[in-house]
Amino acid sequence: MTDLRSSEIHDELDGDTLHEECGVFGILGHPDAATLTALGLHALQHRGQEAAGIVTFDGKQFYTEKRMGLVGDHYTDPATLAKLPGYISIGHTRYSTTGEVALRNVQPLFAELEVGGIAIAHNGNFTNGLTQRRQLIADGAICQSTSDTEVVLHLIARSKQTSSSDRFIDAIRQMEGGYSMLAMTRTKLIAARDPIGIRPLVMGELDGKPIFCSETCALEIIGAKYIRDVENGEVVICEIQPDGSISIDARKPEARQPERLCLFEYVYFARPDSVVGGRSVYVARKNMGVNLAKESPVEADVVVPVPDGGTPAALGYAQQSGIPFEYGIIRNHYVGRTFIEPTQQIRAFGVKLKHSANRAMIKDKRVVLVDDSIVRGTTSVKIVQMIRDAGAREVHIRVASPMIFHPDFYGIDTPDRDKLLANQHRDLESMCRFIGADSLEFLSIDGLYQAVGGVARDPMAPQFTDHYFTGDYPTRLLDQEGASNVRKLSVLASNG
């Protein structure tokens, strides 16, 4: 009998999805800073479920709490929040893209520097993080984590600039990739976004106090007002003055590049009720379904979403096609990992732990199954079989995004290139046979662009980051180019 570790069982059941990057939240000058940060992180839980951390400052010292697991498992406890006094706070909810799953990698990371204490947290990934780390270690630096965020702390410490703000800016200007980052000092909350704006970051306000977070849904949960998006390449420095007022200094790059938001924010990552880049995520996803119905119609009796990601697109497909929408699959939202026994019999349940067929809506029907994306295709195989077992006459899969051919290096945890479904089959017909469907179609890249931005893709100057579909990476990939020269990170066993 094969003895799988719990992480391997998780891969067996959940390894066919693109995992979110991370979520960040910060607030300056509010007496309930920690509580508001915990609420904000709760709204951003979809962006990372492995761990969460909060750092605060109360005018005298910094406080930090880092926990493995969900935000609600820890930060709803008044005793935990009581350990986080202060009027400045930043928080982070994590899914690891670089570094192991260990408490020492949970952000925010904190360090005492010559200019005072500083905590930082970021969403996304640096494409030169390992390259920078290797150089820092060669120069004598000691790294305590395997997170690429720690590299920024070292660069801040080594900067020749005078103020903490200028040191922070000096450090992030040496980093490449897709990121949004928050930093806090004794008096400042600093927000920064990568030069082309791959990862989102918004600015809000509550009771006159500035807030920064990954998505607008984190503002909604606390009743805060949306102010604007942080621009790509911009650094916003908010500082409490001696008289208690808050100054805001927005520093923008001299030569700003065109913004290229990650398309997967609209396809999969962002919450449907968020507004990303000035666009409703829900409307964009519904438009994807509309365009999918126009491009790939089929005679059928019912449109069924693969929950929860496929629901808005399925509504759009049903609306455009005139085929009735039904919840033909019911999702179990209360599935955990710890109870799963490492036996083949239990693993064989597969998707049924998370999804169940609604037989009354499927039996004897021709079903259009709408999903937001297909990665490896293994989950699709199980769902199609589940629908057939429930009595469906036909199963037609329609995917509300293009085929994924290329891995991501900006914060999305994607499988290796050769494990992606699109690279394992010579054509669409072969993919369809593998999945077991009667037909299989994907949304075109232009259909996706039109759903999100209203116009087709400009191949000379793409409006969004779309390399997973097209292979057009928007930045250099230094760590990948020099992979043969970068030694693998050492891993110290941790109970965290």
Side-chain angles (χ1 to χ4, degrees), residues 25 32-45 54 71-72 75-76 81 89 206 213 217-223 271:
F25 185 98
D32 297 319
T35 299
L36 293 169
T37 299
L39 287 168
L41 292 180
H42 184 75
L44 298 171
Q45 186 74 85
I54 297 175
V71 175
Y75 296 99
T76 54
L81 292 173
S89 176
L206 180 66
C213 52
C217 63
L219 299 175
E220 294 285 347
I221 198 172
I222 60 172
R271 250 176 53 167

Side-chain angles (χ1 to χ4, degrees), residues 101-115:
V101 182
L103 196 59
R104 64 197 174 104
N105 284 333
V106 178
Q107 300 179 41
L109 298 184
F110 175 81
E112 283 285 358
L113 307 178
E114 180 186 5
V115 292

Side-chain angles (χ1 to χ4, degrees), residues 374-375 403-405 419-426 431:
I374 293 182
V375 184
M403 285 184 272
I404 302 171
F405 290 98
K419 293 181 180 178
L420 293 167
L421 178 71
N423 296 326
Q424 293 181 319
H425 298 270
R426 64 181 181 274
M431 287 185 222

Side-chain angles (χ1 to χ4, degrees), residues 337-350:
R337 300 186 203 175
T338 56
F339 74 92
I340 302 174
E341 293 295 332
T343 66
Q344 181 58 42
Q345 181 180 7
I346 296 298
R347 290 199 303 276
F349 291 161

Side-chain angles (χ1 to χ4, degrees), residues 137-160:
I137 291 175
D139 291 343
I142 299 173
C143 294
Q144 297 295 315
S145 76
T146 57
S147 169
D148 55 356
T149 313
E150 187 177 15
V151 171
V152 179
L153 280 179
H154 281 284
L155 294 176
I156 293 171
R158 291 171 179 237
S159 174
K160 302 302 181 184

Side-chain angles (χ1 to χ4, degrees), residues 10 96 129 146 170 260 319 327 383:
H10 173 58
S96 62
T146 57
D170 183 32
R260 289 184 64 179
Q319 177 180 302
Y327 284 104
I383 288 179

Side-chain angles (χ1 to χ4, degrees), residues 43-63:
L44 298 171
Q45 186 74 85
H46 59 286
R47 301 187 72 90
Q49 298 89 45
E50 284 184 352
I54 297 175
V55 173
T56 63
F57 182 72
D58 67 352
K60 295 180 180 179
Q61 68 180 76
F62 290 89
Y63 304 85

